[in-house]
Amino acid sequence: MARVRLSVAERRLELLAATVEQIEARGVAAVRVADVAAALGVSNALVLYHFSTKDELVAAAFAHAAEGDLARLDKLLRRRTSALRRLRAAVRWYAPTGQAKGWRLWIEGWTAAVREPALREVTRDLDQRWKAALAEVIAEGVAAGEFRCPDPTGAALRLTALLDGLAVQLTAYGAVSRARARAWTDEALARELGLSVADLRE
């Protein structure tokens, strides 16, 4: 069967999605342009027409994945409900015990970012935008009198640092159970907001 001709934008999205899948399956270091091309049944030349190097392709794939995660975060945080409910939903989704996919992808990204400046920029941007979004909602909750937090920015940093660390322990090492990670996440969120864990579950 002949392949459907795609627009440039559609083809790029197809290539990025395939690259994300290949990174998750093989890791950043092992994935090749040829792997992406083979997965889609296209030539290496077509991939390199859209992305001139593997490094450019990988960085763009991570940026594509990041935008998807940030769009989901934005949807959760824009709900018409209390700041506490929105924050709780976002943290539970982001946590390695939640529905967010791709922790293996991001652990790969953090590792490769040590040596790849373009990838480091993508992962740093994602990290900063996550923290800023959480800090904004925490500040909204404080202003509305829902909870107490003298340092929303610091709270967002501590929460994401915990969740990132738990992701490594759970995903890479299996050193923490899902139940314990979930309990620690709730405890940390409650502590940052001056609430009890029971308050989060109401």
Side-chain angles (χ1 to χ4, degrees), residues 64-145:
H64 171 71
E67 289 304 325
D69 283 353
L70 288 165
R72 175 61 175 159
L73 175 66
D74 185 67
K75 185 176 180 180
L76 288 170
L77 296 183
R78 300 297 169 216
R79 288 177 174 172
R80 292 185 139 185
T81 186
S82 67
L84 178 58
R85 285 180 180 273
R86 287 180 283 139
L87 184 61
R88 182 182 60 195
V91 168
R92 287 181 177 175
W93 175 74
Y94 180 91
T97 55
Q99 296 177 341
K101 297 181 179 178
W103 273 111
R104 290 185 185 279
L105 176 72
W106 290 112
I107 291 170
E108 282 284 342
W110 296 335
T111 302
V114 173
R115 294 180 179 82
E116 298 293 339
L119 192 50
R120 183 161 57 248
E121 185 175 334
V122 169
T123 55
R124 183 173 54 214
D125 180 61
L126 173 65
D127 182 64
Q128 291 172 344
R129 289 165 70 183
W130 267 98
K131 289 182 175 69
L134 293 182
E136 181 180 345
V137 177
I138 293 171
E140 287 177 17
V142 171

Side-chain angles (χ1 to χ4, degrees), residues 116-184:
E116 298 293 339
L119 192 50
R120 183 161 57 248
E121 185 175 334
V122 169
T123 55
R124 183 173 54 214
D125 180 61
L126 173 65
D127 182 64
Q128 291 172 344
R129 289 165 70 183
W130 267 98
K131 289 182 175 69
L134 293 182
E136 181 180 345
V137 177
I138 293 171
E140 287 177 17
V142 171
E146 294 182 35
F147 44 74
R148 301 180 306 279
C149 180
D151 180 14
T153 299
L157 191 156
R158 287 187 292 274
L159 285 169
T160 54
L162 171 68
L163 296 174
D164 291 346
L166 285 175
V168 173
Q169 293 297 320
L170 189 66
T171 305
Y173 306 139
V176 179
S177 70
R178 293 176 67 83
R180 178 169 290 184
R182 190 178 298 113
W184 285 349

